[in-house]
Structures are given as C-alpha cells and as structure tokens.
C-alpha cells in the first residue's frame, strides 16, 4: 500500500521523494509546495497513523524480511550478477533505441549542457550505496530527510509532547546525515542548473500547485508506510535483495502506472497537462 501511494504521488508531483530536493535546487515552480505537502504527510503519519500501523511488530519469519538468496537457496553473488546484468543491460538498450539526447538539443560546453547521460547518472547514484555502507554503515535513503526536518520541531517541548514518535529522528549522526544528504541534493541541483544557464527551470517542467502539494503529501506518507522510498526501498532494499523491497518497488511503479492509465482514460489528457 505504501509503495502504491508513492506511485500515485510521483504521477501527481512529477517527482519521487528524493527529486523533490533536486527540483527545489533547480528553482522549479511549485517544488516548494511539493516539499510542504511532504512535510504535512510526515506530520499526518506520525500524528495519526504511526501508533496504529506499528502496533504489532512484523515477525522475523515474515517473507517481507527475507532475502531472495535465502528463499531460493542460491548464492548471493549469482543473483547480484544476474539482476545487475539485467538492469544495466536494459538501461543501455533503452539508451541505444531511445537516446536521451533526442529529447532536447545539447549544445557544447558545460555552461550550456542541459542534460547528462541517464545511464551514467544512474550508475553514479547506485555507487553511492557502496560509499554509504563503507563510510557510514547505513544504506542510501533520502525520504527520511523530510522526517528529520520535521523532527527538529521536537526541540520545542510542547511539540515533543504533541508528537513524541518523532523524537528518535531529532538527534544523532544518522539523522544528521539524512538531512545533510537532502541539503546536498538541493545544492548540487542548483550548481548543475545554474551552470547550464537553466536556473530557474521553466514552469512547463513542473506540476500545478494542487498536484504538487497533494503529490508531495502522498510521497512522504507512502514512504513512511512502506518504510522507504525509491531510494531506500528501490535502490538500497533491492540491492540487498529484500523481498519486502521488491514488493514495495513493484507497488510504486504499479500504483503509478495504474493511476496514470486511469487518469488518461477518464480525462483523455495523456500528457497530464491539467496536473
């Protein structure tokens, strides 16, 4: 369910939880409304749903906590090589048949570069997993940044009493890293967009005000329900071959596709201009 909510949120906001920060850094119109919606989603989850959804712990024997190598009786290295080859092969095949440069004109020079290779960028993002695991002993995940941001309100005693479940996200190195990673995404996006003479991005690249806000709300709400977003579950969890992460990721894209298909059939607006 959490994954499906993220999928619907991605269609509405035109973003996943992580790229909300990227959109903010690029000056995209209404991206701050998406962030505001995400903050409200965190408040709603920890204020009304958290205690109800986490009342009973998931038993360790649950399939969602199992890893594919254990279930299939196959060595991890073989499955990692298989999935890695499939994903990398698919990425290069798509780039070969549908080159990303067909979507825009890419002038020469850094100052006018408007797009980088999605394949190389994807490999770079995936490589961050190794960096995080070796240096910080944690997996890559960015939706927690919204939670940590809201949790800073717990430094105020009255708010801490109001939503005590947010207190664990207030202090600590791990929480600080999540926040720094989010701010780094904003800064990196600004540098990239400004260097390409594209700052701020034109409004045609963003969603409408209401879609941005409600999309952001569903993004963070879904991420909290699913225990991670496209980075936490989709990248980190799938990297570890967790069954629960595979289910959540399938829910994200399945939910988004079904919502997009339903919206298109009803409104005949397949380009989502009304959003």
């Amino acid at each position: 369910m959490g994954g499906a909510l993220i999928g619907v949120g991605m269609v509405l906001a035109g973003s996943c939880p992580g790229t909300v920060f990227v959109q903010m850094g690029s000056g995209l119109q209404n991206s701050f409304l998406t962030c505001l919606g995400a903050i409200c989603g965190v408040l709603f989850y920890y204020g009304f749903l958290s205690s109800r959804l986490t009342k009973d712990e998931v038993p360790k024997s649950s399939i969602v906590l199992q890893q594919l190598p254990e279930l299939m009786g196959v060595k991890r290295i073989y499955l990692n090589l298989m999935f890695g080859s499939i994903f990398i092969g698919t990425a290069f095949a798509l780039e070969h048949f549908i080159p990303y440069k067909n979507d825009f004109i890419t002038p020469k020079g850094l100052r006018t570069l408007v797009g980088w290779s999605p394949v190389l960028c994807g490999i770079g993002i995936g490589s961050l997993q190794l960096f995080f695991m070796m240096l910080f002993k944690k997996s890559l995940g960015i939706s927690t940044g919204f939670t940590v941001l809201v949790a800073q309100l717990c430094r105020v005693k009255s708010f801490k009493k109001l939503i005590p479940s947010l207190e664990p996200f207030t202090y600590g190195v791990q929480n600080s890293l999540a926040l720094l990673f989010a701010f780094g995404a904003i800064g990196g996006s600004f540098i990239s967009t400004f260097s390409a003479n594209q700052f701020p991005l034109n409004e045609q690249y963003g969603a409408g005000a209401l879609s941005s806000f409600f999309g952001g709300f569903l993004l963070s709400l879904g991420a909290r329900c699913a225990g991670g977003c496209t980075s936490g579950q989709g990248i980190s969890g799938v990297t570890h071959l967790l069954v629960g992460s595979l289910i959540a990721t399938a829910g994200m894209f399945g939910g988004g596709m079904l919502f997009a298909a339903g919206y298109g059939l009803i409104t005949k607006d397949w380009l989502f201009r009304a959003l």
Side-chain angles (χ1 to χ4, degrees):
M1 179 61 73
L5 289 176
I6 294 175
V8 175
M10 287 195 292
V11 175
L12 288 174
S15 169
C16 69
T19 49
V20 173
F21 297 111
V22 176
Q23 289 181 345
M24 292 171 64
S26 63
L28 186 66
Q29 186 180 33
N30 295 328
S31 59
F32 287 90
L33 287 175
T34 308
C35 182
L36 178 61
I39 289 173
C40 291
V42 170
L43 289 171
F44 180 79
Y45 176 80
Y46 285 100
F48 300 99
L49 296 181
S50 178
S51 59
R52 296 175 176 84
L53 295 179
T54 58
K55 186 175 182 180
D56 298 319
E57 291 187 1
V58 178
K60 294 182 179 180
S61 59
S62 174
I63 190 172
V64 299
L65 298 180
Q66 303 301 310
Q67 296 179 316
L68 279 183
E70 300 170 352
L71 290 178
M72 300 176 64
V74 179
K75 288 186 177 181
R76 177 180 299 276
I77 184 64
Y78 296 147
L79 287 179
N80 280 335
L81 288 174
M82 182 186 74
F83 278 104
S85 299
I86 291 174
F87 292 149
I88 290 292
T90 301
F92 275 104
L94 288 172
E95 176 56 31
H96 176 74
F97 292 106
I98 314 175
Y100 79 97
K101 292 184 179 180
N102 288 353
D103 294 333
F104 46 71
I105 299 174
T106 308
K108 296 180 180 179
L110 179 62
R111 288 288 298 174
T112 53
L113 184 64
V114 295
W116 298 346
S117 169
V119 174
L120 296 180
C121 290
I123 293 174
I125 293 173
S127 300
L128 286 175
Q129 182 71 272
L130 181 63
F131 174 78
F132 269 75
M133 291 298 295
M134 293 184 64
L135 195 60
F136 302 119
K137 307 299 181 182
K138 73 182 295 292
S139 297
L140 176 66
I142 196 168
S143 63
T144 308
F146 291 109
T147 306
V148 175
L149 180 62
V150 176
Q152 300 313 302
L153 295 173
C154 286
R155 296 174 185 269
V156 180
K157 290 184 178 180
S158 57
F159 186 88
K160 179 180 176 180
K161 293 180 180 179
L162 185 64
I163 310 182
S165 55
L166 275 172
E167 185 182 2
F169 298 95
T170 307
Y171 305 97
V173 175
Q174 299 290 344
N175 292 326
S176 298
L177 286 174
L179 207 55
L180 286 173
F181 189 73
F183 288 146
I186 295 174
S189 176
F190 171 76
I191 293 172
S192 174
T193 312
F194 184 79
S195 298
N197 286 330
Q198 296 290 311
F199 185 88
L201 282 183
N202 193 292
E203 63 178 5
Q204 65 177 322
Y205 295 108
L210 286 177
S211 294
S212 295
F213 178 82
F214 286 111
F217 180 87
L218 292 177
L219 285 174
S220 65
L221 177 61
R224 292 306 89 209
C225 291
C229 63
T230 45
S231 57
Q233 292 282 24
I235 297 178
S236 297
V238 171
T239 298
H240 294 298
L241 300 177
L242 288 169
V243 175
S245 295
L246 292 169
I247 295 173
T249 304
M252 294 175 202
F253 292 100
M257 289 177 181
L258 289 175
F259 177 78
Y263 176 86
L265 288 172
I266 294 172
T267 65
K268 306 302 180 183
D269 177 23
W270 291 102
L271 296 178
F272 308 106
R273 292 190 179 93
L275 294 178

